[in-house]
Amino acid sequence: MNIKTSSEAIETLDVDAIVIGLYKDNTHGETAIRLGAIAPYLELDEFTGKTKQTMILYNVEGVKARRIYLVGLGEKEKCNFESVRNAASIAARTLRDRGLKSIAFEALHGDAQSTAEGAILGLYKYDFLKTQNLDKIKKVDEIIFSGNDVDAWNTGVIMAEGQNYARFLAETPANICTPTWFAEKAKEYLDGIDNIEIIVHDEEWAKEKKMGSFLSVAAGTEEPAKFLEIQYNGGNENDPPIVYVGKGITFDTGGISLKPSANMGAMRGDMGGAASVVGTLYAISKLGLKKNVIGLTPLTENMPSGRATKPSDVVTASNGKTIQVDNTDAEGRLILADALVYAEKEFNPHTVIDIATLTGSIGVALGEAFIGVFTRSDELWNELNRAGEKTFDRFWRMPLDPIYRKALDTPLADVNNVGSRAGGACQAAEFLGEFIEMKRWCHVDIAGVMDSPGSSDYHPKKGMTGKPVRGLVEFCKQME
Ligand code: BES
Ligand code: ZN
Ligand code: ZN
């Protein structure tokens, strides 16, 4: 798809349709007022501009495009980033599904960034593995933005592209999306962007680093594990970086603590954290943010085999701590433990944020409306929360507490990988806290938002969400 910008007035563009936003009760947007010719249509019809209401007008005088797609924005005072994303995505999807090839947008509600995000996220479709009837798959060839706020539009496009790529990586089945494939795809995707460097470490390297916890998960599979390291040097040479660490389990069977088979296929998305790190690094580097940022993703399958870790095995992490693995299905924390040690010791970071589809229990607590966040730093919480509100990747702070840590005590080792009582997401966060000392660390549990039944306007179909790429990019932008 070709995405372009134009400083020409939207009514002069030669496209299949132009999209115009209208507020409720005839407080029209600027373009609508300029196009006085549409006023009679509005009087004749029941279009009131209420939220998500739509209408198509054909062959309107003074408009070059054959169609005007009107989309309701609701009351002007209540219109916000999210209602703009929703309106833009409805417009883009509907016009695509009608077979139109070129669409022009104005900045709905004057908000070019959210318009771009809604349109590009709304048009996402996973058809990578389809081989039949490809000509029947409806695709938009060209999106044109008409307006002056080109920087905001481009920011929205890049953020949405980053999230869409995370969706793509997470959706791809695990026989294709192996650790090796994931690392290759990330390299391909980021290749040639200024100031980006990518290293793919192998298991030998992990052994040298004494990552016994990460390797204890990798022991159960034939697929070679990888540890992806992405460096973006957008800031001054010695500026401490922001480090994003993403859980990269390309398939989680549970290992010897095997999961039930119902819906196990969803565990192809257990690298959603790693996918969102790649999408985030893409957007940050494409935007040229003036920060140093590192992305780290330990990648492996979690499989049962003759070499797999067994419940009660004790392994040693790279900070020297011993871990009793009582449940091999609590594997995400095992691979993150060594990645967090590496993040803190190697990079002298300003902030470390890990993103992981870590526990079913966070989904029970928060559903798909909020993403659970655990941190020792009020300051970091406030910053992340602000980024979440702006992008609608909404976060909710959850507790770290010695009581949850105590549940991980065990006679055999320094720490158990599972706890004894309820509060599983909080225990998991305490476990991670054993492997990082700095205050500005936070753990983001995205298990509840890994996939969506297709419940939002710009996520209309069942599938992996790619969350919280935009929230993480916005956080970095705010740190600039
Ligand atoms: N990958 C799962 C968590 C998960 C569940 C992600 C649902 C997305 C949707 C994780 O590795 C896991 O299995 N966690 C266990 C931990 C338990 C054994 C302490 C869980 O949540 O049940
Ligand atoms: Zn698991
Ligand atoms: Zn898992």
Side-chain angles (χ1 to χ4, degrees):
M1 187 169 62
N2 194 358
I3 305 172
K4 297 199 300 204
T5 60
S6 166
S7 55
E8 305 290 318
I10 196 163
E11 58 269 31
T12 67
L13 296 177
D14 187 8
V15 288
D16 293 333
I18 64 174
V19 178
I20 292 176
L22 290 182
Y23 299 112
K24 194 157 173 252
D25 300 331
N26 297 327
T27 50
H28 300 330
E30 266 171 47
T31 315
I33 293 166
R34 196 172 68 235
L35 296 180
I38 67 174
Y41 295 88
L42 299 178
E43 278 159 25
L44 283 176
D45 206 284
E46 290 173 346
F47 188 90
T48 60
K50 75 176 184 206
T51 310
K52 299 183 191 180
Q53 195 184 19
T54 63
M55 181 163 79
I56 300 192
L57 306 177
Y58 294 91
N59 301 324
V60 173
E61 205 190 311
V63 176
K64 186 149 194 192
R66 237 170 76 70
R67 301 167 193 81
I68 301 182
Y69 187 85
L70 298 175
V71 57
L73 297 172
E75 284 169 39
K76 191 169 186 180
E77 303 72 47
K78 290 194 186 149
C79 192
N80 58 29
F81 300 130
E82 189 65 357
S83 37
V84 170
R85 287 182 202 108
N86 289 336
S89 75
I90 291 168
R93 276 194 288 120
T94 313
L95 295 171
R96 187 249 338 255
D97 293 344
R98 283 172 164 251
L100 304 198
K101 295 293 174 197
S102 55
I103 308 172
F105 279 89
E106 61 167 358
L108 300 176
H109 188 50
D111 178 357
Q113 183 181 332
S114 303
T115 304
E117 287 177 22
I120 307 303
L121 290 169
L123 287 175
Y124 170 83
K125 239 187 191 174
Y126 188 87
D127 46 28
F128 179 58
L129 300 172
K130 300 270 190 210
T131 69
Q132 303 297 300
N133 299 322
L134 293 183
D135 49 327
K136 296 216 178 87
I137 298 180
K138 299 206 166 89
K139 282 205 168 119
V140 172
D141 293 334
E142 188 176 60
I143 297 264
I144 305 180
F145 170 65
S146 157
N148 298 322
D149 212 353
V150 171
D151 284 349
W153 170 266
N154 286 337
T155 299
V157 169
I158 289 169
M159 280 200 175
E161 284 176 344
Q163 181 170 351
N164 282 348
Y165 201 69
R167 283 162 140 180
F168 162 73
L169 290 173
E171 199 71 67
T172 300
N175 64 324
I176 298 167
C177 182
T178 61
T180 306
W181 186 89
F182 183 101
E184 268 314 305
K185 282 285 153 185
K187 249 178 149 173
E188 231 176 84
Y189 192 54
L190 301 172
D191 187 44
I193 304 178
D194 282 352
N195 300 319
I196 278 261
E197 222 178 287
I198 301 177
I199 311 166
V200 183
H201 301 292
D202 60 11
E203 286 183 33
E204 271 313 305
W205 173 88
K207 270 181 208 149
E208 280 160 28
K209 295 280 173 197
K210 300 195 165 28
M211 295 185 167
S213 186
F214 171 41
L215 289 168
S216 78
V217 180
T221 172
E222 303 279 319
E223 276 299 333
K226 302 284 170 190
F227 190 108
L228 179 65
E229 180 171 329
I230 307 166
Q231 304 200 6
Y232 168 63
N233 304 308
N236 295 327
E237 204 174 327
N238 293 319
D239 265 0
I242 297 172
V243 184
Y244 294 111
V245 181
K247 171 177 170 181
I249 295 292
T250 57
F251 197 83
D252 183 10
T253 66
I256 297 297
S257 313
L258 196 63
K259 284 183 180 297
S261 54
N263 209 23
M264 203 202 277
M267 285 299 115
R268 71 183 182 283
D270 208 19
M271 28 55 74
S276 70
V277 167
V278 173
T280 298
L281 267 286
Y282 167 84
I284 287 172
S285 56
K286 285 286 268 194
L287 291 171
L289 299 190
K290 303 219 165 348
K291 294 296 291 178
N292 294 330
V293 184
I294 309 280
L296 302 174
T297 73
L299 295 156
T300 179
E301 290 181 336
N302 184 25
M303 296 284 280
S305 83
R307 293 186 190 282
T309 297
K310 302 164 292 296
S312 94
D313 283 1
V314 173
V315 301
T316 306
S318 42
N319 65 347
K321 286 194 183 171
T322 53
I323 304 165
Q324 182 176 333
V325 182
D326 265 357
N327 191 322
T328 63
D329 196 12
E331 83 300 337
R333 61 198 78 181
L334 295 174
I335 71 169
L336 290 173
D338 282 326
L340 289 173
V341 172
Y342 182 65
E344 183 166 35
K345 299 282 175 288
E346 187 76 14
F347 300 105
N348 178 34
H350 174 267
T351 306
V352 173
I353 300 181
D354 77 72
I355 308 99
T357 48
L358 208 64
T359 66
S361 105
I362 199 72
V364 173
L366 300 175
E368 61 165 331
F370 286 89
I371 296 167
V373 168
F374 301 80
T375 178
R376 302 162 179 144
S377 162
D378 294 345
E379 183 185 68
L380 176 52
W381 159 247
N382 286 327
E383 291 160 0
L384 197 63
N385 189 31
R386 187 147 41 96
E389 281 175 359
K390 168 134 200 239
T391 53
F392 214 71
D393 281 341
R394 293 186 298 167
F395 299 109
W396 196 264
R397 191 174 187 180
M398 301 286 288
L400 288 162
D401 190 276
I403 290 179
Y404 300 119
R405 171 62 189 84
K406 195 142 189 24
L408 304 172
D409 281 346
T410 169
L412 283 191
D414 296 332
V415 62
N416 201 324
N417 83 325
V418 284
S420 48
R421 285 182 299 270
C426 309
Q427 291 166 359
E430 279 292 336
F431 178 92
L432 294 177
E434 288 292 303
F435 300 91
I436 183 156
E437 285 163 18
M438 57 193 280
K439 188 158 184 190
R440 282 187 61 91
W441 156 66
C442 83
H443 160 54
V444 180
D445 192 338
I446 56 168
V449 302
M450 172 185 80
D451 54 3
S452 160
S455 50
S456 93
D457 289 311
Y458 53 89
H459 199 110
K461 289 263 154 55
K462 180 175 162 55
M464 302 300 166
T465 63
K467 283 184 183 181
V469 165
R470 288 177 302 109
L472 298 175
V473 177
E474 179 62 28
F475 169 80
C476 184
K477 258 178 103 187
Q478 286 177 9
M479 293 287 112
E480 249 191 321

